[in-house]
Amino acid sequence: MDGTTAIITADALDNKDFWILKLDATTGNVSILDRQRDEAWIGGPGVGRGIEWIDNNRFYYQSEATGYSHLYTFNVATGEKKQLTSGKWEVQRAQLSKDKTVFYISGNKEHPGITHFYKISVNGGELVQITSMKGGNEITMSPDEKWLAINYSYMDKPWELYIQANKPGAKAVQITKSTTAEFDSYKWRQPDLVSFKNRYGSDVYARVYPATNPHPNKPAVIFVHGAGYLQNVHYWWSQYFREYMFNNMLADNGYTVIDIDYTASSGYGRDHRTGIYRDMGGKDLTDQVDGVKMLVEKYGVNPKHVGLYGGSYGGFITLMGLLKEPEVFASGAALRSVTDWAHYNHGYTANILNEPFNDPIAYQRSSPIYYADKLKGNLVMLHGMVDVNVHFQDIVRLTQRFIELGKDNWELAVYPVEDHGFVEPSSWTDEYKRIFKLFETTLKK
């Protein structure tokens, strides 16, 4: 700016409001330019950050006002707000070019599980796609903006570096080869990327690994991704690479495996993002149940032989699955799982469940420890003793409840040297041996 106006942002303490404000430097007056209100919580890619000036009068920002995070400009001289991108997809990252004539955008316009790199004029108009490889494209531009370094991957191909001219239709040239001959010798699966309607009529996306030779029991296993707001159903190499490889092994051993982007996963807009407000273990859990129904109907799975596993939030959903849906899930392995949200990170949990003192119902409804008496299936819990994210006391308290309730179809595996994310190969090996043994002894017998 020319020194006369400043832009200020403000957040409500409960994170349900976000304001963009104009400060007149000559008078000190403050006025509201844009207010974003969400009865759940403000969020979505780019929302609440990345606000920058384009020129003396215009700045840009992102908003979920339409239900999906899109790019907007605002002219402080005229008061005009302009939406540059639109549709049922998300602008995941926006960058202003050096000459300030175009925005470079990463987004999932083609498909929720495909990211591409685009450009669009700062004045709006046509969105021009620059990358062309189907999968995940993570872009770094050269300082002169003439070249793109593309970190690219596909479902069965880990990330490699490519170079491409910053032009639509230009060829991307691979310049790294990172996998070993041993890795390449196995035929890694490209899982079926499917979608189904959940009981609420919403589209839910999933990856399915059909069994190579289904066991006579036609068993199925659900892998539940963690982190809450994260996406794992996509066309690029999973950050859950160990689980991807384990899922391949399970499919080799007669299991049909499914991995669901349940309600609250990222990449699908505001309604999906906030669908667990005041009810964790609600729609995110019923999506798993509805996924089982789809497997029964379309993949011939036996509904009496279904297990699930996951870590962190995936461990939480595994616990809730066994405790709230005991007729659906015969067994489960819960890794580093939250058992009581009142004991978890305030910044994360307060958005979704408010706070224990002002919304105790949401915490009681959402915490596995309150459902401990419902355990029927076979449960293995696995937790690192030095976990600084989901503290070890969480799983100890649930264990004590099972003891008090006289439950005997559970066990706890303790990892004395491990934090939330394991480090020692021996720990990972032990963990997956136990999970595999659980499924082999409960889903195939």
Side-chain angles (χ1 to χ4, degrees):
M1 273 300 293
D2 56 11
T4 63
T5 305
I7 298 300
I8 302 171
T9 61
D11 301 275
L13 283 176
D14 62 7
N15 203 21
K16 297 182 190 300
D17 286 279
F18 174 74
W19 296 273
I20 302 176
L21 308 164
K22 173 184 173 182
L23 170 66
D24 187 324
T26 58
T27 65
N29 292 333
V30 175
S31 56
I32 297 175
L33 299 180
D34 187 78
R35 177 193 179 191
Q36 298 181 39
R37 168 75 182 176
D38 197 310
E39 296 302 322
W41 72 96
I42 294 292
V47 176
R49 57 187 184 276
I51 297 173
E52 295 183 24
W53 290 103
I54 301 169
D55 52 37
N56 273 350
N57 293 318
R58 292 181 299 170
F59 64 89
Y60 70 93
Y61 64 102
Q62 286 179 239
S63 169
E64 273 190 329
T66 66
Y68 292 82
S69 182
H70 282 296
L71 187 62
Y72 294 75
T73 60
F74 196 101
N75 189 315
V76 295
T78 65
E80 179 191 15
K81 178 169 74 172
K82 187 171 186 178
Q83 183 177 346
L84 300 189
T85 60
S86 62
K88 293 183 177 182
W89 60 280
E90 294 185 329
V91 172
Q92 296 166 337
R93 182 184 171 198
Q95 177 180 350
L96 186 62
S97 64
K98 283 190 170 182
D99 63 10
K100 299 186 176 183
T101 62
V102 301
F103 288 109
Y104 290 107
I105 291 171
S106 293
N108 58 358
K109 183 175 186 291
E110 180 181 339
H111 182 279
I114 297 172
T115 60
H116 277 302
F117 193 61
Y118 303 86
K119 67 178 180 179
I120 189 171
S121 167
V122 293
N123 300 312
E126 181 187 5
L127 186 68
V128 178
Q129 183 176 320
I130 299 173
T131 53
S132 58
M133 295 184 291
K134 181 179 181 179
N137 292 272
E138 298 178 348
I139 308 300
T140 302
M141 281 192 294
S142 62
D144 62 5
E145 300 182 350
K146 292 181 179 179
W147 294 91
L148 307 179
I150 307 174
N151 193 27
Y152 169 79
S153 71
Y154 195 68
M155 288 183 183
D156 58 341
K157 296 178 178 60
W159 299 95
E160 300 288 359
L161 187 60
Y162 290 70
I163 297 294
Q164 176 188 324
N166 188 8
K167 297 175 183 177
K171 181 177 175 57
V173 178
Q174 184 175 346
I175 61 172
T176 64
K177 173 68 167 69
S178 304
T179 57
T180 63
E182 183 180 10
F183 181 92
D184 294 340
S185 68
Y186 178 82
K187 187 173 174 56
W188 299 105
R189 286 169 175 78
Q190 295 180 5
D192 300 344
L193 206 157
V194 303
S195 67
F196 61 90
K197 294 283 185 184
N198 67 12
R199 65 191 63 186
Y200 303 102
S202 300
D203 290 319
V204 176
Y205 287 77
R207 284 180 164 198
V208 179
Y209 302 73
T212 305
N213 293 298
H215 183 271
N217 280 358
K218 303 292 177 62
V221 170
I222 297 180
F223 165 60
V224 188
H225 74 67
Y229 192 58
L230 181 145
Q231 182 181 15
N232 200 46
V233 177
H234 45 61
Y235 282 96
W236 59 88
W237 182 252
S238 175
Q239 73 177 60
Y240 289 98
F241 62 91
R242 296 179 188 87
E243 290 77 5
Y244 168 75
M245 292 188 280
F246 186 62
N247 292 343
N248 272 265
M249 191 188 91
L250 289 172
D252 285 344
N253 282 272
Y255 299 88
T256 296
V257 184
I258 188 171
D259 170 8
I260 300 170
D261 268 353
Y262 52 86
T263 297
S265 298
S266 62
Y268 303 92
R270 185 265 170 197
D271 289 349
H272 203 73
R273 176 178 69 79
T274 62
I276 56 168
Y277 179 58
R278 300 191 68 236
D279 192 6
M280 299 163 91
K283 289 182 179 179
D284 44 1
L285 175 58
T286 57
D287 283 349
Q288 316 295 333
V289 177
D290 295 344
V292 171
K293 183 172 181 285
M294 185 273 291
L295 287 184
V296 172
E297 293 172 354
K298 296 188 177 180
Y299 287 86
V301 161
N302 186 331
K304 296 186 182 300
H305 296 277
V306 179
L308 74 171
Y309 81 101
S312 196
Y313 201 96
F316 156 72
I317 289 293
T318 297
L319 290 175
M320 292 297 258
L322 287 180
L323 300 175
K324 290 183 68 178
E325 300 284 353
E327 304 308 316
V328 178
F329 301 109
S331 59
L335 297 64
R336 45 195 173 275
S337 48
V338 176
T339 68
D340 187 349
W341 288 108
H343 287 217
Y344 191 62
N345 178 305
H346 172 86
Y348 176 83
T349 314
N351 277 341
I352 306 171
L353 301 180
N354 301 312
E355 295 169 301
F357 78 91
N358 61 29
D359 201 349
I361 292 173
Y363 280 81
Q364 186 166 345
R365 179 193 295 139
S366 302
S367 296
I369 198 162
Y370 295 105
Y371 301 90
D373 60 313
K374 308 297 184 186
L375 180 65
K376 290 183 181 179
N378 301 277
L379 171 64
V380 173
M381 300 174 290
L382 310 102
H383 214 111
M385 287 188 74
V386 287
D387 192 329
V388 299
N389 184 345
V390 182
H391 296 165
F392 187 61
Q393 69 184 39
D394 246 40
I395 211 68
V396 171
R397 290 178 66 230
L398 182 60
T399 298
Q400 180 60 28
R401 284 296 292 139
F402 287 149
I403 293 169
E404 293 166 357
L405 291 163
K407 300 294 183 181
D408 57 9
N409 49 341
W410 60 271
E411 60 183 55
L412 172 64
V414 173
Y415 297 86
V417 302
E418 296 294 358
D419 193 352
H420 194 60
F422 287 6
V423 174
E424 295 297 325
S426 57
S427 300
W428 285 110
T429 301
D430 182 87
E431 180 178 77
Y432 281 98
K433 280 169 60 178
R434 292 177 187 274
I435 297 170
F436 187 62
K437 180 181 177 182
L438 172 70
F439 295 148
E440 288 285 282
T441 55
T442 61
L443 302 182
K444 287 185 175 180
K445 302 296 184 183

